[in-house]
Amino acid sequence: MNEIGSLVSLEARAEAGFELLRAPASGQPCVHWRLRVVEHLTARTELVHELASPEPFDLVWGGDSAPWRPPVRIRVDPATARIEA
């Protein structure tokens, strides 16, 4: 990939923007959820519904290993980010 489209790897702690969400399938608390529902219409046809939470959340990087330096907070907006899990 070119410089503009290159991928970045980051290890950070995820925190809810305002309050924790509940995953619709499991009911577990989370900061982001994605749900894929596949409906089989015929033997060769299926309808796929992809749903995801639209609420932004924060990634908090650093601060644990260097307490004198404040952690960096990165706001992730699912509407404009590519999130893979």
Side-chain angles (χ1 to χ4, degrees):
M1 290 188 142
N2 61 28
E3 296 254 342
I4 296 173
S6 61
L7 298 176
V8 174
S9 177
L10 172 72
E11 187 172 322
R13 182 178 68 249
E15 292 183 357
F18 297 103
E19 63 182 49
L20 282 175
L21 305 174
R22 292 270 174 198
S26 67
Q28 294 294 311
C30 60
V31 297
H32 178 75
W33 55 263
R34 181 176 303 187
L35 181 65
R36 182 175 191 199
V37 179
V38 179
E39 184 179 351
H40 297 278
L41 302 175
T42 67
R44 296 176 52 199
T45 308
E46 60 186 25
L47 185 59
V48 179
H49 306 275
E50 299 259 357
L51 306 165
S53 59
E55 291 83 358
F57 59 93
D58 293 338
L59 293 178
V60 182
W61 177 70
D64 297 336
S65 61
W68 62 89
R69 188 174 359 157
V72 175
R73 299 186 80 79
I74 302 165
R75 175 59 52 114
V76 178
D77 182 356
T80 57
R82 179 175 154 194
I83 302 171
E84 293 184 25

